[in-house]
Amino acid sequence: MKEKHLLALDVGTRKVTGFLLERKKEGFEILAVETMEHRTRAMLDGQIHDIPKVANVVSAVHSSLEEKAGCKIYGAAVAAAGRSLCTVRGQANVQVLSSNRLKQGDVLRLEYAAVQQAQQQLFSGPAGKSRFAEQYHCVGYSVIRYILDDSPIGNLIGQRGGSAACEVIATFLPRVVVDSLRSVLELSGLKLQSLTLEPIAALRMVVPEGMRRLNVALVDIGAGTSDIAITRDGTVFAYDMVPVAGDEITEALAEEFLLDFMTAEQIKRKLGKRGQISFTNILGEKVSEEAGVLREKVAPALDTLTEKISRALLDNNGQAPQAVFCVGGGSLTAGLTAALAEKLGMDPGRVAIKGKDMLSLLPGKPKNYQGPELVTPLGIAYTGVSGDALQFYRVEVNKQVVDVMDLGRSRVSDVLLAAGIGSRELVGPPGKGLSIEVNGQTVAIPGEMGSMAEIRVNGEPVSLEDKISEGDKVSFTAAEPGEDARANVAMLLSRMNPFCVTVNGQEYKLRSPVYRSDDLLTESAEIYDRDKLRILMTMPLIRVLEQIKMDDYLAGGSIDIQLNGKKKKIPYGPQVVRVNGKAAVPDSAVSDGDTLQVSADGSFPTVGGLTEERTRMIEISVNERIVTLPLTEVDFIVNGRKVPEDTPLHAGDQVEIKRTEHDITMAAILNMIDFEATPPVGRNKLILRVNGREAQFTTCIKHSDRLEVGWSS
C-alpha cells in the first residue's frame, strides 16, 4: 500500500466505526477513531438496505476523521457483512475405472462437483429464496475428506478404485454485498482500497495463526447477527451465521416497556450496572426500575439468543469447543457469557469476552481502544496493513465480464465457479443405456460416453487446474451428452459366444435364433429398452443346415453345374445327416459344440458320377521288377482344384473332366525307369527284349509283358 494514510471502516447494523492509521517507519500509528450510529434502520441484519442513508453516515465519519487528522483520505479498507458469508457442506462421488490411476485433474473435477452440490443446497435452502442469493459466488472451499471405495483416504491422487467421493465446506458471498459496499464508498467520495470478511477480520485479532491448532470458537455478536468462526488443526474449518444478536435484547426491552428502539438500546447498555435505571416510554411516562428486574425481563430473549448460538456451535463442531471468545458490542450484554457457557456445558471461565489482548497486533498499542466492539474494525485495519485483504480480478468468460475473488489459487476452476458454470457442463453425461432381459438374465447396453468441455484461455486449450490472470479471456464450450444406446440383434449376438458346430470336419459359427415373444427376429431387427428376448441354446437341425446352406441335402432335388464349359442339371436324392454319430431328422435338436456328419446314401451326385471313364493302369515286369503304368488317365477338377471321384457336387460348381491317353513304348519305359544311357566300361552292347524276343525303341508294350533292359560286352 503506497498511501500514507489508511482508513479502516466497519459498516455495522447499528453504527459505523472508522480507524485512521498513518504509515510510520516502524509500521502504522492510529491517529483517530470515530463512531457514529445510523439515525434510521438503514441496515438490517448486517445488510445494507438503504445505500444513500448509509453513505451519509460513512461520509460523516470520513469528514470527521479528515478534520481530526488534518489530512485528505481517498480510500478505505472495509469488510463484507458476516451475515452474507454462507458456508455449506457439499459432496460428490463418481465411478472410476479401476485400471486407471486418479490424476490431479480428476480430483479437481470431483471437488468442483462437490462445491456445485453445496451451491445447489444454498439456492434451494432458505437463503436461496432471497433475490440477492441468486448471485452467490464461491469464495473458497476446504476439503473435509476424500473417500475411495467407501473408505476414508488422505489423498486420491495416484489411487485406483471403483468409486471416489469428496466432501467439502464451501464458502459463498453474494455479489450484491460487494456492490453495495462499493456504492456506499463511492457516494462518500472513497474508493475500495481492500476488502475482507468480518468474521475473518475478527478472527485475525482474537485467534492468530499460532492458536489455530486449538479447537477455538470466535463469536462476533453484533446488533443483527452473530458470526461464528471455528478453528481446529491449524485452520479455520467452519463459518456460520446466526440471524439473531444484540437487537433481540433491545427489542425485548422495547416491547416490555413500550420504548422506542434507540431508548431501549441505551437501557440495554446499562443492564450490567446496579441500582435504578430511569427512562421515558413512548407514552411520555417516566419509569424507574431496578437493573436486576430489567435483566429478568430480558432473560427469555437472552435464553433464545444463547440457545441459537450454542446450537450453531455444536452443529458445526460436533461438541463444545475448548474455548469460546466473544467479541462485538452484543457480547457486552449482561449475563450473556455465563448463559452461553451453561448452554454449552462449559466452564464459565472458558467463555470470555476479548478486547484487550489483540492490541499487540497493531503498532502503538492504543489503550483507549480496548472494547470488544472494536475488535472487528481493528481486524479490518490490521488486514489492510498486512496486505492480506481479499483481492478481485476481472476476466471474460464467453465475452461476459466476471469478477473473481482471488484466494491465492487463481485457477481456471475458480473462474468457472464464479461464472456459474455447473460441474455437469464439464463432462457430458453418458447417453441412456438399454436394459433388456435375455433368457431371464438382465443385460445392460450402455450409451456412448459424453464429450469433455472445451476450455480455452486466450485461445489456448487449458485444464481446470491451470493458472489464470487478470484480463484473461476464457472461452468455454459445454460438454455434449453421449448418444443414447441403440442395438440390434446382430450387435447383441456379437457380445455373446457364437453357436459353433462342426460339419464334416469343418467348424461353422452360427447365429443363434433370437425371439421376442413368438416372433423370430432378423439380424437387423432393433432392440428396445426393457425387451424380453429368448436366445436359443439349441436349434432344429434344419435351421443349422439353412445357415450353412446345406438344407437341400435333406431332400431330393437337382443342382445346376458347369461341365467342361456347358450347363448341366444333375438330379440327386436325400443325404444322411448324423448328429454326434446318431441319424437325425429335420427337427432333431442341435446344441453348441455338436458334431455333424453329412454323407451320401448312394443317390447324391458326385463328380465321378458324371462319366463312366476312369483311369486305366497296366502292370509289366522290368528286369523281374513289377512296374505299374497309366494307360488312360482321367482327372476330375472342381472349381479349379483336382479332387477325388467321390467328391459331392454342389450347385454352381465348375467341373472339368480331363482324359489323357498314353502310348507305352520301349523308349517310354526307359524314360520312366531312369535307364542309364551311357554304357559302363567294357560293356557297349544294348540289350532290349520283350517276352524273350529282341525289341526296338518303338516296340509297343502291353499289360503283363516281361522286359529285359541292360548292357552286355
Side-chain angles (χ1 to χ4, degrees):
M1 187 186 67
K2 296 180 180 180
E3 290 82 357
K4 182 178 180 181
H5 297 95
L6 171 67
L7 171 60
L9 282 176
D10 179 17
V11 183
T13 300
R14 184 68 49 237
K15 56 194 173 185
V16 176
T17 299
F19 274 72
L20 183 62
L21 298 91
E22 183 179 9
R23 181 188 291 274
K24 298 292 183 179
K25 289 183 179 181
E26 297 181 357
F28 283 80
E29 178 184 344
I30 296 178
L31 296 181
V33 177
E34 184 64 73
T35 297
M36 294 186 181
E37 294 194 358
H38 298 288
R39 297 181 181 88
T40 62
R41 303 193 75 177
M43 292 185 65
L44 296 174
D45 295 340
Q47 174 64 36
I48 298 172
H49 282 254
D50 192 325
I51 290 175
K53 289 182 179 179
V54 174
N56 287 338
V57 179
V58 171
S59 295
V61 171
H62 176 201
S63 299
S64 175
L65 290 173
E66 283 186 329
E67 184 177 345
K68 288 179 179 179
C71 64
K72 295 295 292 181
I73 307 170
Y74 301 99
V78 295
R83 74 166 304 281
S84 303
L85 190 66
C86 293
T87 56
V88 185
R89 290 195 178 206
Q91 58 184 351
N93 59 76
V94 294
Q95 298 299 311
V96 295
L97 293 175
S98 57
S99 58
N100 295 342
R101 295 187 185 277
L102 288 166
K103 299 179 181 178
Q104 183 180 2
D106 301 323
V107 177
L108 189 56
R109 279 191 292 273
L110 182 60
E111 294 175 4
Y112 192 109
V115 172
Q116 285 287 308
Q117 198 267 344
Q119 193 171 42
Q120 290 301 318
Q121 292 184 58
L122 177 68
F123 290 168
S124 61
K129 297 177 183 178
S130 302
R131 288 292 299 171
F132 66 84
E134 295 173 3
Q135 296 296 323
Y136 266 99
H137 295 301
C138 177
V139 297
Y141 68 89
S142 300
V143 175
I144 299 174
R145 60 175 179 165
Y146 296 114
I147 299 173
L148 185 67
D149 292 339
D150 300 324
S151 297
I153 195 165
N155 193 337
L156 285 173
I157 296 175
Q159 302 286 352
R160 288 176 176 167
S163 65
C166 172
E167 186 176 358
V168 302
I169 289 181
T171 306
F172 299 92
L173 186 71
R175 184 193 300 266
V176 70
V177 171
V178 179
D179 289 345
S180 60
L181 275 173
R182 278 178 170 164
S183 297
V184 165
L185 293 179
E186 288 171 1
L187 286 176
S188 306
L190 295 165
K191 67 177 182 178
L192 178 62
Q193 192 164 318
S194 70
L195 175 70
T196 187
L197 303 171
E198 287 182 356
I200 293 176
L203 194 73
R204 287 181 183 277
M205 302 303 294
V206 176
V207 189
E209 295 286 345
M211 293 175 57
R212 294 184 186 178
R213 296 202 63 81
L214 300 174
N215 185 202
V216 176
L218 168 76
V219 183
D220 184 356
I221 306 171
T225 64
S226 297
D227 299 314
I228 294 170
I230 307 175
T231 66
R232 187 169 62 198
D233 298 328
T235 185
V236 183
F237 80 94
Y239 292 103
D240 203 353
M241 182 275 298
V242 179
V244 290
D247 281 356
E248 300 296 311
I249 312 300
T250 305
E251 289 169 357
L253 286 168
E255 290 179 8
E256 180 68 27
F257 297 103
L258 297 179
L259 304 173
D260 64 74
F261 189 86
M262 297 310 298
T263 301
E265 180 70 18
Q266 293 171 5
I267 295 171
K268 180 184 72 173
R269 298 173 186 177
K270 300 176 182 178
L271 288 178
K273 298 180 179 180
R274 295 181 179 180
Q276 296 284 326
I277 299 177
S278 300
F279 50 86
T280 302
N281 63 22
I282 60 173
L283 300 176
E285 299 173 340
K286 293 185 178 181
V287 181
S288 181
E289 285 283 2
E290 282 286 338
V293 173
L294 295 176
R295 288 196 294 271
E296 290 177 4
K297 295 294 184 181
V298 299
L302 183 63
D303 184 76
T304 299
L305 172 60
T306 54
E307 171 64 26
K308 290 183 178 180
I309 293 174
S310 65
R311 178 51 49 197
L313 286 170
L314 294 173
D315 287 346
N316 281 278
N317 198 53
Q319 60 184 359
Q322 292 174 282
V324 177
F325 295 146
C326 297
V327 299
S331 67
L332 294 172
T333 301
L336 184 142
T337 56
L340 183 58
E342 182 180 356
K343 295 287 186 183
L344 292 170
M346 295 176 63
D347 183 338
R350 293 202 171 192
V351 180
I353 297 173
K354 300 284 284 189
K356 298 180 179 180
D357 42 1
M358 78 291 179
L359 296 176
S360 60
L361 297 173
L362 283 175
K365 299 182 180 181
K367 297 181 181 179
N368 294 330
Y369 315 129
Q370 299 180 4
E373 71 276 13
L374 298 181
V375 169
T376 297
L378 279 172
I380 296 170
Y382 174 65
T383 303
V385 169
S386 63
D388 292 334
L390 296 172
Q391 302 296 323
F392 287 87
Y393 58 92
R394 284 193 162 186
V395 297
E396 283 188 12
V397 179
N398 292 346
K399 298 183 179 180
Q400 297 294 319
V401 174
V402 176
D403 284 319
V404 184
M405 190 172 288
D406 186 1
L407 299 178
R409 292 190 305 257
S410 299
R411 296 181 303 197
V412 171
S413 59
D414 301 311
V415 173
L416 298 184
L417 281 170
I421 293 172
S423 60
R424 291 186 177 182
E425 298 177 72
L426 297 177
V427 181
K432 294 181 180 178
L434 298 177
S435 178
I436 61 176
E437 186 179 300
V438 179
N439 295 345
Q441 300 292 321
T442 300
V443 175
I445 301 176
E448 292 185 10
M449 296 301 295
S451 67
M452 300 290 289
E454 181 182 352
I455 311 171
R456 292 178 177 271
V457 174
N458 304 325
E460 297 296 324
V462 296
S463 62
L464 291 175
E465 59 266 29
D466 285 342
K467 292 183 178 180
I468 201 160
S469 303
E470 171 88 20
D472 280 345
K473 299 182 185 299
V474 180
S475 170
F476 179 84
T477 303
E480 294 290 337
E483 294 287 337
D484 292 344
R486 296 191 63 183
N488 56 23
V489 169
M491 176 184 172
L492 175 63
L493 292 176
S494 69
R495 294 161 57 96
M496 307 179 67
N497 293 328
F499 191 111
C500 295
V501 296
T502 301
V503 182
N504 291 350
Q506 181 178 351
E507 186 178 71
Y508 291 88
K509 293 182 178 180
L510 309 181
R511 178 177 62 82
S512 300
V514 180
Y515 287 87
R516 182 191 290 127
S517 296
D518 294 327
D519 298 329
L520 177 63
L521 303 181
T522 64
E523 287 193 359
S524 60
E526 188 167 359
I527 296 174
Y528 303 102
D529 192 38
R530 302 187 183 279
D531 263 350
K532 294 184 178 181
L533 306 178
R534 288 184 298 116
I535 299 180
L536 299 188
M537 297 294 101
T538 63
M539 67 176 86
L541 173 62
I542 186 64
R543 301 297 180 215
V544 173
L545 297 179
E546 283 175 353
Q547 290 198 45
I548 61 178
K549 301 187 180 344
M550 294 178 68
D551 49 309
D552 287 345
Y553 287 12
L554 291 177
S558 63
I559 58 175
D560 293 324
I561 66 168
Q562 292 275 344
L563 177 59
N564 291 338
K566 295 181 179 180
K567 290 183 180 180
K568 191 173 181 66
K569 186 178 290 291
I570 310 296
Y572 64 89
Q575 296 203 64
V576 176
V577 180
R578 289 179 172 82
V579 177
N580 299 327
K582 295 181 179 181
V585 296
D587 290 337
S588 295
V590 179
S591 300
D592 179 38
D594 281 353
T595 299
L596 280 64
Q597 185 67 39
V598 180
S599 59
D601 63 355
S603 63
F604 195 82
T606 61
V607 67
L610 298 175
T611 180
E612 293 182 358
E613 293 190 82
R614 295 292 184 269
T615 297
R616 293 173 57 202
M617 308 294 290
I618 64 171
E619 189 176 275
I620 62 174
S621 172
V622 180
N623 295 339
E624 299 182 356
R625 182 168 62 90
I626 302 301
V627 176
T628 302
L629 302 172
L631 182 62
T632 302
E633 283 190 88
V634 179
D635 292 328
F636 300 98
I637 301 170
V638 178
N639 301 324
R641 184 169 61 89
K642 189 175 179 180
V643 298
E645 63 184 61
D646 61 349
T647 300
L649 290 171
H650 298 87
D653 280 349
Q654 303 285 329
V655 181
E656 185 179 359
I657 300 176
K658 291 183 178 181
R659 183 177 183 276
T660 305
E661 296 286 347
H662 295 284
D663 291 331
I664 307 299
T665 63
M666 180 62 79
I669 295 298
L670 294 177
N671 288 331
M672 291 179 186
I673 65 173
D674 295 328
F675 179 71
E676 183 63 47
T678 303
V681 178
R683 297 183 180 185
N684 53 11
K685 184 178 180 180
L686 178 63
I687 299 174
L688 297 174
R689 295 189 182 95
V690 176
N691 299 325
R693 295 179 181 180
E694 296 292 333
Q696 305 297 322
F697 286 116
T698 58
T699 300
C700 290
I701 306 300
K702 303 183 296 300
H703 179 65
S704 72
D705 281 348
R706 291 178 293 105
L707 281 63
E708 294 178 57
V709 180
W711 295 94
S712 67
S713 55

